[in-house]
Amino acid sequence: MPESTGSAVASDIVVLGKIVGPYGLHGAVRVHPFADDPKAWARLQYWWIGREGSPARFWQKTRVIKCNIQGDTLIANLECLPDRNASEAVHGVLVGVPRAELPPASQGEYYWADLIGLDVFNTRDELLGQILGLIDTPANAVLRVGDGLKPEQLLPFVAAVVVDVDRAARKVCVDWESDW
């Protein structure tokens, strides 16, 4: 992938989805959305694409030529992908936008990027670890929680488990036992 021509820094980019494969012969790609409202970000004029963990200089700003929703997937034509060969080469690449271009999250809603790194405590005030990432499943999102010492725990990101998210305190309270 060529170096980025955009001025956004990767740490300011909120990942919204992942390119899961080519679509058709003219460079379109299928994008699996991580965001709850892909219609809103499908209307954005520009996306940034980059590989997970790559430095900012490797994220590429690209114009969205066309984007449609097809079932649970977005079909997007991006300026940087002129043909099928180019779209095959970006399989697994992440799609994101700078935080400044996103609307603020509503009450009780969070961008995944805002949750990663928060400490997770249970209702007994026992530290379970930090949020290492999230997994999107058909039923709900799942928090990957770990402390580097014991095996990673997977906690459903649902109201019955997640009692409170306090971004200011960098803390999430869950109804979950440490030995589960």
Side-chain angles (χ1 to χ4, degrees), residues 130 132-133 135 143-148 150-155:
Q130 290 187 330
L132 305 173
I135 301 169
L143 299 173
R144 292 180 37 235
V145 178
D147 62 4
K150 54 187 179 226
E152 191 175 286
Q153 290 183 297
L154 301 176
L155 285 69

Side-chain angles (χ1 to χ4, degrees), residues 15 24 34 37 54 60 69-71 78 85 92 113 116 118 122 124 138 147-148:
V15 175
F34 296 152
D37 188 12
S54 66
Q60 179 183 3
I69 296 176
Q70 188 175 68
L78 304 176
N85 289 339
I116 295 172
L118 298 185
N122 65 15
R124 298 176 192 260
D147 62 4

Side-chain angles (χ1 to χ4, degrees), residues 14-129:
V14 175
V15 175
L16 297 175
K18 180 187 249 183
I19 297 174
V20 294
Y23 181 84
L25 301 174
H26 303 289
V29 289
R30 292 180 298 115
V31 179
H32 174 74
F34 296 152
D36 284 343
D37 188 12
K39 288 181 186 179
W41 60 275
R43 292 188 297 267
L44 294 169
Q45 200 172 13
Y46 294 95
W47 289 352
W48 279 253
I49 61 173
R51 299 209 182 268
E52 187 167 356
S54 66
R57 70 181 182 276
F58 292 112
W59 281 77
Q60 179 183 3
K61 180 180 179 180
T62 188
R63 187 169 66 86
V64 179
I65 297 169
K66 182 179 173 185
C67 185
N68 295 310
I69 296 176
Q70 188 175 68
D72 293 337
T73 305
L74 295 171
I75 306 299
N77 289 88
L78 304 176
E79 187 173 57
C80 67
L81 304 174
D83 57 39
R84 184 170 176 97
N85 289 339
S87 66
E88 287 174 351
V90 294
H91 181 271
V93 168
L94 300 175
V95 173
V97 296
R99 180 177 302 285
E101 294 188 19
L102 292 171
S106 299
Q107 180 71 23
E109 293 183 352
Y110 311 95
Y111 289 112
W112 284 12
D114 295 338
L115 299 174
I116 295 172
L118 298 185
D119 290 326
V120 179
F121 291 86
N122 65 15
T123 54
R124 298 176 192 260
D125 210 27
E126 298 171 317
L127 178 63
L128 302 180

